[in-house]
């Protein structure tokens, strides 16, 4: 039923609401378990992240790919551009999700995006995917900046990534996961 799950990096699975480079980045303890739980269900797991410091020459794209793949992601979708580049892949645009759909034959309506920023939610909505907001990282700020994602209805608002994953599997087993069906 669920074709793929997309996880944002900074603030969603680890780190903070500030960017931390590979090597300094630490997964949240509950994120390790959430990734394991998703992998046990044989659901493709993709990372999607904006990393503009690559364009600034401060860090290499390959470092992010190595790190994220080592966490258990099946594929990494990364925008290395700055806002001023006006690319189609930088969240809140849906380019990374659309590329993943094309490469993996996904119907994005059957995919879930989990993130802590309004840009994650808007990208999911633009691509036709379901979204879950986590209140880690920038999640509380996002929750209180509703005007930035006013047209988006999160399927669920979770305390952390583990609660988001538990919601997905509970709803899936109850056949309750429908777009916009649950909001806490």
């Amino acid at each position: 039923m669920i074709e793929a799950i997309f996880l944002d990096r900074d603030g969603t699975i680890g780190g903070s609401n500030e960017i931390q480079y590979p090597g300094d980045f630490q997964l949240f303890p509950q994120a390790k378990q959430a990734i394991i739980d998703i992998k046990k269900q044989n659901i493709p797991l993709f990372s999607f992240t904006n990393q503009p410091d690559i364009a600034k020459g401060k860090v290499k794209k390959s470092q992010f790919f190595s790190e994220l793949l080592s966490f258990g992601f099946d594929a990494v979708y990364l925008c290395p551009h700055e806002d001023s580049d006006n690319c189609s892949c930088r969240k809140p645009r849906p380019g990374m999700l659309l590329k993943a759909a094309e490469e993996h034959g996904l119907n994005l309506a059957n995919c879930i995006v989990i993130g802590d920023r309004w840009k994650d939610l808007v990208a999911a909505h633009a691509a036709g995917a379901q979204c879950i907001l986590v209140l880690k990282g920038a999640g509380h700020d996002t929750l209180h900046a509703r005007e930035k994602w006013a047209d988006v209805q999160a399927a669920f608002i979770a305390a952390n990534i583990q609660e988001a994953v538990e919601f997905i599997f509970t709803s899936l087993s109850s056949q309750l996961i429908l777009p916009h069906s649950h909001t806490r």
Side-chain angles (χ1 to χ4, degrees), residues 56-76:
K56 297 172 186 172
K58 295 180 179 180
V59 64
K60 294 183 182 192
K61 192 174 182 179
S62 62
Q63 292 174 280
F64 284 99
F65 273 80
S66 295
E67 174 196 72
L68 291 162
L69 292 172
S70 77
F71 293 155
F73 287 97
D74 296 306
V76 175

Side-chain angles (χ1 to χ4, degrees), residues 21-76:
Y21 296 140
D24 295 329
F25 184 84
Q26 297 292 315
L27 281 177
F28 296 135
Q30 69 272 14
K32 291 177 185 179
Q33 188 60 50
I35 290 170
I36 290 168
D37 292 346
I38 293 168
K39 300 297 280 181
K40 283 181 183 174
Q41 297 294 321
N42 293 316
I43 297 172
L45 180 62
F46 304 126
S47 172
F48 87 127
T49 181
N50 288 343
Q51 296 298 336
D53 283 352
I54 294 169
K56 297 172 186 172
K58 295 180 179 180
V59 64
K60 294 183 182 192
K61 192 174 182 179
S62 62
Q63 292 174 280
F64 284 99
F65 273 80
S66 295
E67 174 196 72
L68 291 162
L69 292 172
S70 77
F71 293 155
F73 287 97
D74 296 306
V76 175

Side-chain angles (χ1 to χ4, degrees), residues 4-159:
I5 296 175
F6 293 84
L7 301 180
D8 172 56
R9 180 184 180 265
D10 299 288
T12 300
I13 62 168
S16 66
N17 60 351
E18 300 295 324
I19 294 173
Q20 294 177 339
Y21 296 140
D24 295 329
F25 184 84
Q26 297 292 315
L27 281 177
F28 296 135
Q30 69 272 14
K32 291 177 185 179
Q33 188 60 50
I35 290 170
I36 290 168
D37 292 346
I38 293 168
K39 300 297 280 181
K40 283 181 183 174
Q41 297 294 321
N42 293 316
I43 297 172
L45 180 62
F46 304 126
S47 172
F48 87 127
T49 181
N50 288 343
Q51 296 298 336
D53 283 352
I54 294 169
K56 297 172 186 172
K58 295 180 179 180
V59 64
K60 294 183 182 192
K61 192 174 182 179
S62 62
Q63 292 174 280
F64 284 99
F65 273 80
S66 295
E67 174 196 72
L68 291 162
L69 292 172
S70 77
F71 293 155
F73 287 97
D74 296 306
V76 175
Y77 293 90
L78 184 149
C79 173
H81 307 109
E82 297 182 59
D83 279 330
S84 60
D85 292 333
N86 202 28
C87 64
S88 64
C89 58
R90 186 164 177 77
K91 296 182 276 185
R93 292 185 181 98
M96 288 185 277
L97 298 171
L98 298 174
K99 182 178 180 184
E102 183 180 319
E103 290 179 359
H104 299 279
L106 302 172
N107 176 351
L108 289 169
N110 297 325
C111 296
I112 300 170
V113 171
I114 303 173
D116 69 319
R117 295 180 183 268
W118 67 269
K119 291 181 178 188
D120 303 321
L121 306 178
V122 171
H125 179 73
Q130 298 178 63
C131 60
I132 296 175
L133 172 66
V134 294
L135 297 178
K136 296 295 256 180
H140 285 284
D141 292 339
T142 296
L143 187 62
H144 295 98
R146 189 70 173 110
E147 69 280 359
K148 292 183 179 180
W149 54 289
D151 296 336
V152 178
Q153 180 67 43
F156 188 65
I157 297 171

